[in-house]
Amino acid sequence: CSTTPLVFLSTGPTVSESLVRGRAGQNITVPCFYSVKSRQDITSMCWGRDSCPSSKCYRPIIWTDGWKVTEQYNSRYTLKGNLLIGDVSLTIVNAEVADSGIYCCRVEIAGWFNDQMTNHKVVIEKARISTASPHTYTSEQTSAHGSTSESSFTVTRLWPEVSASEAPRTASGPCSSTSDCLDVTSNLQNMSVSLPSEQYPENGLYIGIGLCAVLLTILILALFLT
């Protein structure tokens, strides 16, 4: 019997891909796992920038020996999962837009072309900025509005039919303090009392003219009679 050797040609290891999105300022986790059924399955792995090469990691970020992190090139890139159960997910702390790109997770498994490789496309978007502004009023608008409403309110409440005896009771409503009420009351009393006094000289003038006219008439009649 003759033995015919069989040759199997392999095109290379299979590389899977995934997409991860996040926003700047957040902690972004790029998932990566491998199967661990026993302690013998725990193996070394690495994270690197750009697509996975034929071996190792290009532009490495983190290396582990399967049990712990042995090399870490940037403190913002860390492994927070449990390495002993195959959780080698990469966490980007306080992500930036510049962190966008391709990341390679490579788990080294014994044998030819057995490495588990995953290329992750990470897209970091800018943080949203709220354009809504709170509704505010300036101090000039507030003071102007306040002075206008106060003056109109004062005229409406204080002006109708104020006499000298009723002035204190009428002015007691809208005053902000006792001194304000006294000032308003005194002003109203002065107005109500002084108005008639301003009419006395005019009335006296009319009376004087009338008396003069009567005396002049009597004098003319006396001259005619004599």
Side-chain angles (χ1 to χ4, degrees):
C1 298
S2 62
T3 304
T4 302
L6 300 177
V7 178
F8 296 93
L9 298 178
S10 174
T11 58
T14 303
V15 181
S16 60
E17 297 181 355
S18 69
L19 174 63
V20 178
R21 292 183 178 273
R23 294 194 178 278
Q26 299 177 344
N27 293 346
I28 309 300
T29 298
V30 185
C32 189
F33 304 89
Y34 71 95
S35 177
V36 176
K37 297 179 180 179
S38 63
R39 294 172 63 91
Q40 286 73 22
D41 295 329
I42 299 176
T43 183
S44 59
M45 61 84 55
C46 63
W47 276 96
R49 298 295 298 263
D50 298 332
S51 300
C52 296
S54 57
S55 64
K56 307 298 181 180
C57 286
Y58 179 68
R59 295 170 60 191
I61 296 174
I62 285 178
W63 273 97
T64 76
D65 59 3
W67 302 88
K68 64 182 181 300
V69 174
T70 57
E71 296 181 33
Q72 184 177 10
Y73 295 88
N74 192 322
S75 60
R76 291 178 52 247
Y77 300 100
T78 182
L79 303 183
K80 294 186 177 182
N82 189 346
L83 302 181
L84 303 183
I85 61 174
D87 184 0
V88 290
S89 300
L90 174 68
T91 299
I92 305 175
V93 179
N94 193 19
E96 302 174 355
V97 176
D99 293 323
S100 300
I102 304 297
Y103 288 77
C104 168
C105 174
R106 187 186 198 102
V107 179
E108 296 180 319
I109 299 176
W112 287 11
F113 309 111
N114 288 336
D115 288 356
Q116 174 184 312
M117 294 178 291
T118 308
N119 290 329
H120 301 270
K121 182 179 181 180
V122 177
V123 178
I124 307 298
E125 300 175 350
K126 292 182 179 180
R128 292 180 180 178
I129 301 176
S130 177
T131 58
S133 58
H135 190 63
T136 58
Y137 296 93
T138 61
S139 58
E140 290 80 8
Q141 290 175 339
T142 304
S143 60
H145 179 71
S147 61
T148 304
S149 60
E150 183 179 358
S151 60
S152 60
F153 178 78
T154 304
V155 171
T156 304
R157 296 293 301 276
L158 293 179
W159 188 254
E161 299 181 4
V162 178
S163 64
S165 60
E166 295 177 351
R169 184 175 63 239
T170 305
S172 61
C175 297
S176 59
S177 63
T178 305
S179 60
D180 294 339
C181 292
L182 294 177
D183 294 340
V184 174
T185 302
S186 61
N187 292 335
L188 293 174
Q189 288 178 346
N190 293 335
M191 291 175 62
S192 61
V193 174
S194 61
L195 286 176
S197 64
E198 292 176 357
Q199 296 178 358
Y200 289 159
E202 187 176 357
N203 294 336
L205 179 60
Y206 293 153
I207 294 172
I209 293 174
L211 291 176
C212 291
V214 171
L215 293 176
L216 183 59
T217 304
I218 295 173
L219 180 59
I220 293 173
L221 291 176
L223 290 176
F224 278 111
L225 292 177
T226 55

